[in-house]
């Protein structure tokens, strides 16, 4: 885990941020197939595998392979730890972005 | 300039994002000294110089040296192009983060 006020580098990489955000839209216990996730994000299998591995190493996503051969399906879901890390990341980032909006040219 | 819906990699690096956000809080025409910016962000001179150079190359910030020797001061300010790029980046990121919040566990 990164420092409390630091943008988690595991999440900050744009592809991984998009993966986590997409998985976070699922209800608890639901998952997406690897193939569907790949389609949604427009990624090559190799690219998605690389980033999923980093997210899995951090404990933010879990993957499970069901079946074998041509009928196999790899499911991907976000963990509770992943949701918590994403929430924390989002809060830090929103605070940072809000401070930029509070400037002289576009006050609110 | 990156694609319309892509997170600008020049801005996305956390240090550069913090630099731009800090400069964006200034009114048009105002600047910060290099030393003050360094203090605010807790960066080494070398680290700040590296990132300012990338922001300057992209046309997002301008720097100007006034005076010489021990009394010299380097001023740093955000350009109109930099404000526009930051606004665009912020809009893309907020949209992405909002789509994560619209999930089953914490709806709003």
């Amino acid at each position: 885990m990164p420092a409390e006020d630091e943008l988690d580098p595991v999440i900050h990489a744009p592809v991984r941020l998009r993966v986590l955000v997409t998985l976070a839209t699922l209800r608890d216990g639901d998952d997406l197939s690897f193939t569907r996730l790949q389609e949604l994000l427009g990624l090559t299998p190799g690219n998605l595998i690389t980033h999923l591995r980093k997210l899995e190493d951090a404990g933010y996503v879990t993957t499970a392979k069901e079946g074998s051969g041509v009928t196999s399906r790899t499911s991907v879901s976000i963990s509770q730890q992943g949701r918590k890390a994403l929430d924390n990341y989002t809060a830090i980032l929103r605070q940072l972005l809000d401070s930029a909006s509070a400037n002289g040219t576009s006050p609110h």
Side-chain angles (χ1 to χ4, degrees), chain A:
Chain A
M1 295 282 286
E4 195 63 20
D5 63 342
E6 196 185 290
L7 290 169
D8 187 339
V10 174
I11 301 183
H12 196 60
V15 170
R16 293 197 291 272
L17 179 57
R18 287 183 199 278
V19 167
L20 269 197
V21 161
T22 302
L23 293 174
T25 62
L26 302 172
R27 283 166 203 275
D28 277 340
D30 283 0
D31 60 57
L32 276 177
S33 73
F34 180 90
T35 310
R36 182 72 186 126
L37 191 55
Q38 202 198 309
E39 285 168 2
L40 284 171
L41 300 172
L43 298 172
T44 63
N47 198 7
L48 182 54
I49 286 170
T50 302
H51 288 294
L52 279 182
R53 200 165 287 151
K54 284 187 180 155
L55 289 167
E56 211 172 0
D57 288 349
Y60 296 166
V61 308
T62 54
T63 62
K65 194 174 174 186
E66 297 144 23
S68 61
V70 290
T71 59
S72 75
R73 174 187 187 273
T74 297
S75 64
V76 188
S77 58
I78 189 169
S79 67
Q80 281 305 318
Q81 194 184 334
R83 284 198 196 268
K84 201 176 153 186
L86 180 62
D87 281 351
N88 190 46
Y89 170 86
T90 301
I92 293 168
L93 200 50
R94 280 190 199 277
Q95 194 171 23
L96 187 61
L97 298 180
D98 286 347
S99 67
S101 307
N103 66 56
T105 52
S106 50
H108 69 234

